[in-house]
Amino acid sequence: MLDGRTTSGGNPAPMDIRSLDGDDPATIALLLPGFQETMSRELPGDPPVSEALLARLLQRRHGADRIVLAAFDGDRPAGCTKLGLDLGDPAGPGHGSLWVFPSFRRRGAGAALVDAARAELRARGRGHLMVDAPRTPAAEAFAAVCGAELRGTNLRNRLFLRGPVRAGLDEPAARAVEGHRLVQWTDRCPDELVDSYARAWGTLDAPVNGQAEVRTPTAEDVRLREAEAGRAGHRQYVSAAVDTDTGEVAGYATLFVRDSPMADAGETLVLAGRRRRGLGTWLKAGLLVRAADENPRLALVQAWNDVHNEAVVALNRRLGFQADSSWSTYSVKA
């Protein structure tokens, strides 16, 4: 694939595409400056991108493979794409994100990365590429050039853990739901709950970008996912509502905290028969309060929600989250 530059002889210079290992610290060090430049421009209100955030973004996830491709201008990375491949669905799409670093835009890096990603997917017998990007006129124009189809929209929500918003979490965090007790942990689920926690996780039906579909997880799967977060330098905070009669997990919420002022909300799940009782609000508010109290540096939490997931969108609004941007998911044939 050719980018838009020319050599001194007037011929287009080739874009060098390289496959990288997203679990290699050297990959993180190589791509971090470009990500920091990109995010400081695209999301100026966020803290600087940390090594842990990029490591979490690029690492292989449980039940999935990961493709990381980078476009190079000489020895300098011009952008990259990462794709998750669900190993339980060999014909399924590659789903991920694409970035072109600001200093290298309008030189063909984005088109080169899309072409390279499609070729990688075809070689693996997969027929579709799904890519997330900020919902902007530039992204829409680029998608049109690539022949991509809009498949969905996600909201990025942010909660600032300061002032009245932080104080407003105390009341819902203290509002226990009758017939349930709150169990909280960091990193490792208690052994006596791990099987029940796995069963609750198995009811999750919301797809997550680049991750494997949930398929009857076991306690071993829980432990593997816990180790995955630790390898990327994240502490996994969890709050679970446990039925006081049966001892079964009725719902849970997760949050990923790293060495940064910003944390990522994970899943909030309440079993179908337990909804509309306030469990979700109780769980997530308590989780946020505990994380804020134990991490004085923590100032901001971001959460991603499909616009059609009305229950979770409404929950986040009640807790003080505000949407600051929309991201589109595009699909293109490989």
Side-chain angles (χ1 to χ4, degrees), residues 8 21 49-50 63 104 107 153 175 237 253 258 262 303-304 314 334:
S8 58
D21 181 359
V49 175
S50 66
F104 298 93
R107 301 186 187 181
T153 303
R175 197 183 302 145
Y237 277 67
R258 54 185 169 268
M262 184 171 70
W304 299 88

Side-chain angles (χ1 to χ4, degrees), residues 287-312:
L287 183 69
L288 292 166
V289 166
R290 180 166 71 98
D293 288 347
E294 294 182 6
N295 299 273
R297 188 185 178 202
L298 182 59
L300 175 66
V301 175
Q302 67 173 354
W304 299 88
N305 306 121
D306 188 310
V307 294
H308 297 297
N309 193 339
E310 297 178 356
V312 173

